[in-house]
Amino acid sequence: GENVEQHPSTLSVQEGDSAVIKCTYSDSASNYFPWYKQELGKGPQLIIDIRSNVGEKKDQRIAVTLNKTAKHFSLHITETQPEDSAVYFCAASIGGTSYGKLTFGQGTILTVHP
Amino acid sequence: GAVVSQHPSRVICKSGTSVKIECRSLDFQATTMFWYRQFPKQSLMLMATSNEGSKATYEQGVEKDKFLINHASLTLSTLTVTSAHPEDSSFYICSASRDITNYGYTFGSGTRLTVV
């Protein structure tokens, strides 16, 4: 089955700096890669996603890049703010079927210091 | 946008009793719903996948007789933890999708289960 590795496990940055979180996946059939933000005691919230027919996607301060050949994808957050502090998870799935279950990375605790 | 409602948000039950958690898609029909379990400071682990009107598919190591999943309609799935024990205490999260190819997954807000 799919295996997703996520690094780093913790990331501490100063407000205004950029933050980068990286993930690798094992199953070359995976074609959907979402990123989620989870705050304490809440469910994950989708912040951005990318499909395998795209190499990069951007939404304001957040961007995701995908390298299918190397089987890795990254989350980039620019101009970080204290409210960006949370746990971030990457995930991968084989979409296009009704059984496209998500496999999650281990999570990254991001702390943005004011 | 797609909204998934999960209830209750917190529940405390006595050891040996059963607890039911509901997951509803409010503004779309969910062809597939997923149930996850999350221990403190850990990632989400998929427990089972359910499609409306059919039996749930459980992940390896998940006891189907202990974690009963029912997906009776396109908007409702339930997870019942039977004969709960303290080790079942965890954060349970559901997600739903109407079309993974085009719409992805929407997660509920989670249920904190504490078994005393």
Side-chain angles (χ1 to χ4, degrees), chain A residues 21-57:
Chain A
I21 303 171
K22 298 183 178 182
C23 290
T24 60
Y25 61 98
S26 61
D27 193 337
S28 57
S30 289
N31 57 8
Y32 177 63
F33 308 93
W35 285 89
Y36 295 92
K37 176 183 181 182
Q38 187 179 30
E39 296 177 337
L40 193 62
K42 297 183 179 180
Q45 283 191 304
L46 179 70
I47 56 170
I48 197 167
D49 58 10
I50 192 167
R51 298 183 188 276
S52 60
N53 57 347
V54 176
E56 183 174 358
K57 184 176 178 180

Side-chain angles (χ1 to χ4, degrees), chain A residues 66-95:
Chain A
L66 171 66
N67 184 326
K68 282 186 64 181
T69 303
K71 289 190 281 190
H72 66 70
F73 56 113
S74 301
L75 176 71
H76 305 252
I77 305 174
T78 59
E79 300 172 29
T80 54
Q81 301 164 2
E83 49 266 39
D84 293 330
S85 297
V87 181
Y88 291 80
F89 290 98
C90 64
S93 78
I94 303 171

Side-chain angles (χ1 to χ4, degrees), chain A residues 32 34 36 38 41-44 46 51 89 93-102 104-107, chain B residues 32 34 36 38 42-44 46 49 51 57 59 91 93 100-105 107-110 112:
Chain A
Y32 177 63
Y36 295 92
Q38 187 179 30
K42 297 183 179 180
L46 179 70
R51 298 183 188 276
F89 290 98
S93 78
I94 303 171
T97 71
S98 62
Y99 192 71
K101 61 181 182 180
L102 279 172
F104 283 84
Q106 296 84 352
Chain B
T32 309
F34 304 86
Y36 295 84
Q38 186 179 33
Q42 292 190 24
S43 188
L44 287 79
L46 180 67
T49 302
N51 292 293
T57 301
E59 294 300 299
F91 193 53
I93 310 170
I100 292 168
T101 301
N102 297 307
Y103 297 99
Y105 311 77
F107 282 81
S109 53
R112 172 72 60 194

Side-chain angles (χ1 to χ4, degrees), chain B residues 16-27:
Chain B
T17 62
S18 295
V19 173
K20 181 183 285 188
I21 302 169
E22 288 191 351
C23 180
R24 292 180 185 272
S25 55
L26 299 186
D27 52 359

